[in-house]
Structures are given as C-alpha cells and as structure tokens.
Amino acid sequence: MYITITAQKIGRGFETYNSSVRDYVAYLEKENQDLESDWQETFFDQNENAIAPERVISEIDGNTAKLKKRESKFYSIVVSPSQQELKHIGNDPEVLRRYTREIMKDYAASFYRDRKVTVDDIKYYAKIEHERTFRGFEKKVLENTPYRKQIAKLQNDLAKVERGELQINPRAIQKEIERLTKEAPYKVNGKMVVEGMKKEGTQSHIHIIVSRKDVTNTYSLSPGTKFKESETILNGKKVKQGFHRDGFYQSAEKTFDRMFSYERNYVERYNTKKLYRQNPKKFMALLMGLPSNEKQSALKLLHKGGIHIPNIPTNKVQLAYKVIMKLKQGVERAIRSGAIEI
C-alpha cells in the first residue's frame, strides 16, 4: 500500500491549480474519454456512487470560505494498493469503493481537534483509475534512457539522409536502431519502456479530492500541518490542532488487512518503509533474519520491484555499508514508483 497526500499547487509556476479544482477533475476524467458509459468510473463520496464532475467542481470550489489567497483549497490523496493487494481483492472496483469509505473514517480520526472529527465532517470526492504510466525517475526508464538517446540521434540521422543532408547507408542506420532497441533492458510488449508508457498488469488506484474546509464550510481541516498534536491561542482561546499522518497511513494499512483478511509481508508494512528510510542497515538485518518462507516472499516482492538483493551475511556487523547504500538508492526509486509498496 502506498499513500500520498499532496496540497493543491499554488503560487508562481503552479497557476493551473491556483483557483479551481476544474483542471484536476478534467485530468481524472481522462480514462473515461474513449469508454462507453457502462465502463466509465464515476466520482463517489461516502454515500453516493455516481457524482457528476461538474458537481465535484462546484462543491470543492464553493467550499473555501475565509481561506487566504495562498492557502490550498483542497488536498489530493492517492491510494495505491500493490498488485498483491489488488489480486487479493480481485481488483474489484466496488471493493475499492468500500475500502475508500472506510479509510476516510481513519482520515477523519487522524485530526487533533477540540471536538471529535468524523467522516461526516469531511467533504471529499473519490475516483478509481485503472491505468498507470512510467515516470521519468523510475529504474526502468532511467536504465533505458541511454538507448533511447542513441536511437533518437540515429532517427535524426535517418531523417537527414532522407532529406539528402547526410550521405550514410540508411539500412545500416536502421539496423543499428533495431540492435539498440533489442538490447534495451526493459520492454513492454516488445516496446522499449519510456516515460509516459502504460504499465503492465493491474494498476488500479484511488484519487481522493478533499476540501480543506469541513462540510459546513466553517472549520479548516488541513492534513498538511507539520504537527501531530499541538495547541495554540486563537482569539484568546486555547485550541487544539494537528494531523497524525503516520497514524493515518498505519490505520489505512490495518483497515485493509482487517477488511480483507490480508496477511501482510514484512516488506509491505508501513513501519518497515519508515525503518528503511531511518535505518537501512537495521532494515536489512531484520530482512535477513526473517523465517525462511517469509524472507523468500519478501525477496520476491523486492525483486518484482526491480531490486536484486545480493547475498549478504546475516550478521549485522558484516553488512557492507556501500552495498546497503547502493541498495537504498534502488529501493527508494521502487518505493516512489509504487513498484513496491512498503
């Protein structure tokens, strides 16, 4: 499970999302463009399954009372179950909707306020997408890049030959292009993996647009605060504020496991991801110390994410720092790409 929370982009360079949620809603509608209505995924909230895009825009844009010009009006939550998790639930959109409604209860409970915040206080609209594309920082794109650049240069030379600007045998150029294409390490259906290409397999994930203001357009509920729990003086009164982001991520994971009886592997756990970033040596030591069956499953999941774990002695003292750091870079890319969700 990989979850991100991102504020609406504001300020210079981010004018697209500066005033309205309209462009973001249009972006989330892109998968529906070539589909018949029966196959389209619609926006939904806690109680309704089919909400029109225009209503989403109207409700989010209209729920911004007393917010300053440079304050985010909404937040984007992206929930990306792993392929193992999607397989476990049959990649069923209805199950994903049920799950979304449950974790939005977890989201509400993560706010630290003077009164209890419930899901009924949250104005949100969610949408399921079934496709993902490769991004520029991912391992498969990066390792294919030298091949892609050489091929681009050769294709440019081929165009010059056709215009009579270059005297080279075009068949030799084409043969070299074919060789480079064949040697590129990563392909999808025979085509070289490049940025923007659709990924293989089940890629379903959930986009959630959450208003910064509560449903009454009165209280600010920002998950972007850096405080889990704090108190401040407002109009002469002491008030509670904060959002427990770690708590939300952990609850979302536990909710999935509870709802669907999912047995989570060591490398799939949120706390493991946190440990890896804080102490990669301990991460590796615990990984190598797992029972044989669980360790093999963990290594397979990492390998599926493009990470090969070398044969490292299980003794923590013997863990080579250079090997760990090299592994750290690779795992970081895999985590960011969603290839492994730990």
Side-chain angles (χ1 to χ4, degrees):
M1 187 69 63
Y2 189 62
I3 301 176
T4 60
I5 302 177
T6 308
Q8 174 196 18
K9 298 175 182 178
I10 59 174
R12 182 174 296 177
F14 298 109
E15 286 78 10
T16 304
Y17 301 152
N18 194 37
S19 59
S20 174
V21 75
R22 182 176 296 277
D23 287 345
Y24 188 42
V25 169
Y27 167 77
L28 295 180
E29 281 287 287
K30 66 186 184 300
E31 280 191 14
N32 284 339
Q33 291 177 358
D34 299 320
L35 297 176
E36 295 183 11
S37 58
D38 289 347
W39 292 95
Q40 293 181 359
E41 292 288 355
T42 57
F43 283 96
F44 63 94
D45 63 9
Q46 199 68 12
N47 302 302
E48 297 182 58
N49 279 337
I51 299 173
E54 287 301 322
R55 179 178 156 195
V56 174
I57 296 167
S58 175
E59 291 287 337
I60 296 294
D61 285 352
N63 204 60
T64 58
K66 297 183 179 180
L67 288 179
K68 298 176 182 177
K69 289 183 179 180
R70 293 189 61 80
E71 285 185 316
S72 299
K73 312 301 189 298
F74 63 89
Y75 288 82
S76 166
I77 304 175
V78 181
V79 181
S80 303
S82 68
Q83 292 199 0
Q84 290 76 27
E85 289 167 328
L86 290 171
K87 181 180 179 181
H88 186 75
I89 63 173
N91 196 31
D92 187 335
E94 182 54 40
V95 172
L96 289 174
R97 277 188 282 273
R98 283 174 44 213
Y99 175 61
T100 301
R101 286 166 173 148
E102 286 301 309
I103 66 169
M104 289 311 290
K105 296 176 184 177
D106 297 328
Y107 174 82
S110 300
F111 284 98
Y112 182 67
R113 293 294 188 272
D114 293 295
R115 62 185 182 84
K116 182 180 180 181
V117 179
T118 73
V119 72
D120 294 330
D121 295 307
I122 308 297
K123 182 179 282 293
Y124 81 88
Y125 299 96
K127 193 170 188 293
I128 297 168
E129 288 194 317
H130 297 288
E131 295 178 351
R132 278 192 180 282
T133 57
F134 286 98
R135 290 179 282 181
F137 60 76
E138 295 185 49
K139 174 182 165 81
K140 293 182 179 181
V141 174
L142 290 173
E143 294 191 8
N144 275 355
T145 295
Y147 297 87
R148 181 184 58 78
K149 288 182 177 179
Q150 291 181 64
I151 290 170
K153 182 181 181 305
L154 289 169
Q155 289 173 332
N156 186 49
D157 289 344
L158 197 58
K160 288 181 179 179
V161 170
E162 291 175 354
R163 294 195 300 266
E165 300 173 7
L166 195 63
Q167 300 300 316
I168 300 178
N169 185 344
R171 292 184 64 183
I173 296 176
Q174 187 61 46
K175 189 173 181 180
E176 181 64 7
I177 290 174
E178 291 171 359
R179 182 188 70 80
L180 289 167
T181 301
K182 184 177 180 179
E183 290 182 0
Y186 298 104
K187 300 179 184 67
V188 172
N189 296 325
K191 295 183 179 180
M192 188 190 314
V193 169
V194 296
E195 185 175 6
M197 177 181 286
K198 290 181 181 178
K199 293 185 176 182
E200 294 179 289
T202 51
Q203 299 292 339
S204 299
H205 56 286
I206 308 149
H207 288 269
I208 308 170
I209 301 171
V210 189
S211 175
R212 186 190 187 113
K213 299 299 289 285
D214 76 326
V215 292
T216 68
N217 205 8
T218 304
Y219 303 103
S220 177
L221 294 172
S222 169
T225 177
K226 62 182 179 180
F227 300 107
K228 297 177 184 177
E229 295 181 5
S230 67
E231 295 182 353
T232 188
I233 303 299
L234 182 65
N235 298 326
K237 291 184 178 182
K238 185 183 289 187
V239 296
K240 296 178 180 178
Q241 62 180 11
F243 180 79
H244 200 315
R245 188 172 290 216
D246 275 3
F248 170 52
Y249 294 161
Q250 291 171 17
S251 295
E253 178 182 286
K254 290 176 182 176
T255 294
F256 187 94
D257 298 348
R258 171 180 54 79
M259 288 181 69
F260 310 120
S261 301
Y262 185 72
E263 295 184 9
R264 190 167 298 276
N265 185 275
Y266 170 76
V267 298
E268 295 180 279
R269 299 169 192 161
Y270 173 75
N271 285 335
T272 299
K273 178 179 73 173
K274 194 172 179 180
L275 174 64
Y276 151 75
R277 287 176 169 163
Q278 294 176 348
N279 192 336
K281 288 186 178 182
K282 187 174 181 180
F283 163 83
M284 281 298 298
L286 291 175
L287 173 63
M288 293 304 164
L290 291 173
S292 180
N293 289 344
E294 187 175 0
K295 181 169 69 175
Q296 288 305 312
S297 296
L299 293 175
K300 285 180 181 178
L301 287 172
L302 288 171
H303 184 72
K304 191 173 182 180
I307 307 303
H308 173 66
I309 306 294
N311 291 323
I312 304 176
T314 57
N315 188 324
K316 286 191 291 184
V317 179
Q318 294 178 287
L319 292 175
Y321 182 77
K322 288 184 179 180
V323 174
I324 293 296
M325 290 302 104
K326 186 176 181 181
L327 172 67
K328 187 177 189 298
Q329 295 171 4
V331 175
E332 184 66 33
R333 285 196 299 267
I335 288 173
R336 289 171 62 201
S337 71
I340 58 173
E341 293 76 8
I342 70 172

mmCIF file of all heavy atoms in Angstrom, residues 105-122:
data_model
loop_
_atom_site.group_PDB
_atom_site.id
_atom_site.type_symbol
_atom_site.label_atom_id
_atom_site.label_comp_id
_atom_site.label_asym_id
_atom_site.label_seq_id
_atom_site.Cartn_x
_atom_site.Cartn_y
_atom_site.Cartn_z
ATOM 1 N N LYS A 105 -12.796 7.264 7.151
ATOM 2 C CA LYS A 105 -13.077 7.316 8.587
ATOM 3 C C LYS A 105 -11.752 7.416 9.354
ATOM 4 O O LYS A 105 -11.641 8.163 10.332
ATOM 5 C CB LYS A 105 -13.849 6.076 9.027
ATOM 6 C CG LYS A 105 -15.236 5.949 8.412
ATOM 7 C CD LYS A 105 -15.905 4.641 8.836
ATOM 8 C CE LYS A 105 -17.257 4.447 8.166
ATOM 9 N NZ LYS A 105 -17.868 3.140 8.518
ATOM 10 N N ASP A 106 -10.738 6.658 8.896
ATOM 11 C CA ASP A 106 -9.410 6.737 9.501
ATOM 12 C C ASP A 106 -8.820 8.134 9.321
ATOM 13 O O ASP A 106 -8.166 8.668 10.231
ATOM 14 C CB ASP A 106 -8.471 5.696 8.873
ATOM 15 C CG ASP A 106 -8.918 4.259 9.108
ATOM 16 O OD1 ASP A 106 -9.519 3.996 10.164
ATOM 17 O OD2 ASP A 106 -8.666 3.415 8.234
ATOM 18 N N TYR A 107 -9.030 8.704 8.138
ATOM 19 C CA TYR A 107 -8.529 10.057 7.843
ATOM 20 C C TYR A 107 -9.129 11.065 8.814
ATOM 21 O O TYR A 107 -8.407 11.870 9.425
ATOM 22 C CB TYR A 107 -8.894 10.409 6.399
ATOM 23 C CG TYR A 107 -8.577 11.832 5.975
ATOM 24 C CD1 TYR A 107 -7.291 12.190 5.575
ATOM 25 C CD2 TYR A 107 -9.572 12.799 5.952
ATOM 26 C CE1 TYR A 107 -7.004 13.483 5.170
ATOM 27 C CE2 TYR A 107 -9.297 14.094 5.551
ATOM 28 C CZ TYR A 107 -8.011 14.437 5.154
ATOM 29 O OH TYR A 107 -7.738 15.727 4.761
ATOM 30 N N ALA A 108 -10.440 11.025 8.991
ATOM 31 C CA ALA A 108 -11.113 11.957 9.901
ATOM 32 C C ALA A 108 -10.608 11.795 11.329
ATOM 33 O O ALA A 108 -10.372 12.786 12.044
ATOM 34 C CB ALA A 108 -12.622 11.743 9.845
ATOM 35 N N ALA A 109 -10.415 10.555 11.744
ATOM 36 C CA ALA A 109 -9.981 10.281 13.123
ATOM 37 C C ALA A 109 -8.543 10.715 13.380
ATOM 38 O O ALA A 109 -8.120 10.788 14.539
ATOM 39 C CB ALA A 109 -10.124 8.789 13.418
ATOM 40 N N SER A 110 -7.790 11.035 12.328
ATOM 41 C CA SER A 110 -6.387 11.426 12.482
ATOM 42 C C SER A 110 -6.212 12.904 12.813
ATOM 43 O O SER A 110 -5.095 13.344 13.095
ATOM 44 C CB SER A 110 -5.613 11.090 11.194
ATOM 45 O OG SER A 110 -5.673 9.701 10.929
ATOM 46 N N PHE A 111 -7.313 13.675 12.777
ATOM 47 C CA PHE A 111 -7.233 15.095 13.133
ATOM 48 C C PHE A 111 -7.266 15.268 14.645
ATOM 49 O O PHE A 111 -8.002 14.561 15.347
ATOM 50 C CB PHE A 111 -8.381 15.875 12.497
ATOM 51 C CG PHE A 111 -8.199 16.137 11.029
ATOM 52 C CD1 PHE A 111 -8.807 15.329 10.077
ATOM 53 C CD2 PHE A 111 -7.391 17.183 10.600
ATOM 54 C CE1 PHE A 111 -8.625 15.566 8.723
ATOM 55 C CE2 PHE A 111 -7.195 17.418 9.241
ATOM 56 C CZ PHE A 111 -7.816 16.618 8.302
ATOM 57 N N TYR A 112 -6.470 16.189 15.125
ATOM 58 C CA TYR A 112 -6.429 16.525 16.558
ATOM 59 C C TYR A 112 -7.158 17.858 16.720
ATOM 60 O O TYR A 112 -6.672 18.911 16.303
ATOM 61 C CB TYR A 112 -4.976 16.639 17.011
ATOM 62 C CG TYR A 112 -4.804 16.945 18.479
ATOM 63 C CD1 TYR A 112 -5.164 16.020 19.460
ATOM 64 C CD2 TYR A 112 -4.250 18.160 18.897
ATOM 65 C CE1 TYR A 112 -4.988 16.283 20.809
ATOM 66 C CE2 TYR A 112 -4.064 18.439 20.249
ATOM 67 C CZ TYR A 112 -4.439 17.508 21.196
ATOM 68 O OH TYR A 112 -4.261 17.775 22.527
ATOM 69 N N ARG A 113 -8.356 17.794 17.281
ATOM 70 C CA ARG A 113 -9.194 18.982 17.426
ATOM 71 C C ARG A 113 -9.880 18.966 18.792
ATOM 72 O O ARG A 113 -9.870 17.962 19.500
ATOM 73 C CB ARG A 113 -10.260 19.040 16.322
ATOM 74 C CG ARG A 113 -9.717 19.263 14.914
ATOM 75 C CD ARG A 113 -9.096 20.633 14.762
ATOM 76 N NE ARG A 113 -8.737 20.928 13.378
ATOM 77 C CZ ARG A 113 -7.577 20.608 12.819
ATOM 78 N NH1 ARG A 113 -6.678 19.923 13.525
ATOM 79 N NH2 ARG A 113 -7.302 20.938 11.572
ATOM 80 N N ASP A 114 -10.503 20.084 19.134
ATOM 81 C CA ASP A 114 -11.215 20.180 20.416
ATOM 82 C C ASP A 114 -12.430 19.261 20.440
ATOM 83 O O ASP A 114 -12.887 18.856 21.506
ATOM 84 C CB ASP A 114 -11.651 21.631 20.674
ATOM 85 C CG ASP A 114 -10.445 22.535 20.890
ATOM 86 O OD1 ASP A 114 -9.746 22.338 21.893
ATOM 87 O OD2 ASP A 114 -10.205 23.419 20.049
ATOM 88 N N ARG A 115 -12.979 18.992 19.280
ATOM 89 C CA ARG A 115 -14.116 18.078 19.193
ATOM 90 C C ARG A 115 -13.737 16.923 18.277
ATOM 91 O O ARG A 115 -12.820 17.043 17.453
ATOM 92 C CB ARG A 115 -15.351 18.792 18.639
ATOM 93 C CG ARG A 115 -15.163 19.326 17.234
ATOM 94 C CD ARG A 115 -16.364 20.123 16.754
ATOM 95 N NE ARG A 115 -16.185 20.586 15.384
ATOM 96 C CZ ARG A 115 -16.453 19.869 14.306
ATOM 97 N NH1 ARG A 115 -16.907 18.632 14.452
ATOM 98 N NH2 ARG A 115 -16.268 20.357 13.105
ATOM 99 N N LYS A 116 -14.427 15.824 18.415
ATOM 100 C CA LYS A 116 -14.142 14.657 17.585
ATOM 101 C C LYS A 116 -14.512 14.943 16.130
ATOM 102 O O LYS A 116 -15.600 15.418 15.833
ATOM 103 C CB LYS A 116 -14.926 13.444 18.095
ATOM 104 C CG LYS A 116 -14.643 12.171 17.317
ATOM 105 C CD LYS A 116 -15.440 10.992 17.870
ATOM 106 C CE LYS A 116 -15.162 9.715 17.078
ATOM 107 N NZ LYS A 116 -15.949 8.568 17.606
ATOM 108 N N VAL A 117 -13.584 14.654 15.225
ATOM 109 C CA VAL A 117 -13.845 14.801 13.795
ATOM 110 C C VAL A 117 -14.240 13.432 13.241
ATOM 111 O O VAL A 117 -13.565 12.433 13.477
ATOM 112 C CB VAL A 117 -12.600 15.326 13.047
ATOM 113 C CG1 VAL A 117 -12.882 15.445 11.549
ATOM 114 C CG2 VAL A 117 -12.152 16.663 13.616
ATOM 115 N N THR A 118 -15.349 13.385 12.520
ATOM 116 C CA THR A 118 -15.814 12.131 11.911
ATOM 117 C C THR A 118 -15.861 12.285 10.395
ATOM 118 O O THR A 118 -15.727 13.393 9.864
ATOM 119 C CB THR A 118 -17.215 11.736 12.419
ATOM 120 O OG1 THR A 118 -18.192 12.617 11.829
ATOM 121 C CG2 THR A 118 -17.291 11.819 13.945
ATOM 122 N N VAL A 119 -16.083 11.196 9.720
ATOM 123 C CA VAL A 119 -16.131 11.230 8.261
ATOM 124 C C VAL A 119 -17.274 12.114 7.759
ATOM 125 O O VAL A 119 -17.209 12.658 6.650
ATOM 126 C CB VAL A 119 -16.246 9.795 7.688
ATOM 127 C CG1 VAL A 119 -17.639 9.207 7.947
ATOM 128 C CG2 VAL A 119 -15.921 9.767 6.202
ATOM 129 N N ASP A 120 -18.301 12.298 8.575
ATOM 130 C CA ASP A 120 -19.413 13.168 8.182
ATOM 131 C C ASP A 120 -19.006 14.636 8.135
ATOM 132 O O ASP A 120 -19.728 15.470 7.584
ATOM 133 C CB ASP A 120 -20.590 12.987 9.146
ATOM 134 C CG ASP A 120 -21.204 11.596 9.046
ATOM 135 O OD1 ASP A 120 -21.151 11.012 7.948
ATOM 136 O OD2 ASP A 120 -21.727 11.103 10.060
ATOM 137 N N ASP A 121 -17.845 14.959 8.725
ATOM 138 C CA ASP A 121 -17.338 16.331 8.674
ATOM 139 C C ASP A 121 -16.506 16.594 7.422
ATOM 140 O O ASP A 121 -16.185 17.739 7.116
ATOM 141 C CB ASP A 121 -16.455 16.611 9.898
ATOM 142 C CG ASP A 121 -17.231 16.563 11.200
ATOM 143 O OD1 ASP A 121 -18.246 17.259 11.298
ATOM 144 O OD2 ASP A 121 -16.806 15.817 12.114
ATOM 145 N N ILE A 122 -16.134 15.535 6.723
ATOM 146 C CA ILE A 122 -15.202 15.641 5.595
ATOM 147 C C ILE A 122 -15.952 15.756 4.272
ATOM 148 O O ILE A 122 -16.822 14.939 3.968
ATOM 149 C CB ILE A 122 -14.272 14.411 5.540
ATOM 150 C CG1 ILE A 122 -13.603 14.165 6.893
ATOM 151 C CG2 ILE A 122 -13.241 14.581 4.440
ATOM 152 C CD1 ILE A 122 -12.689 15.253 7.366
#
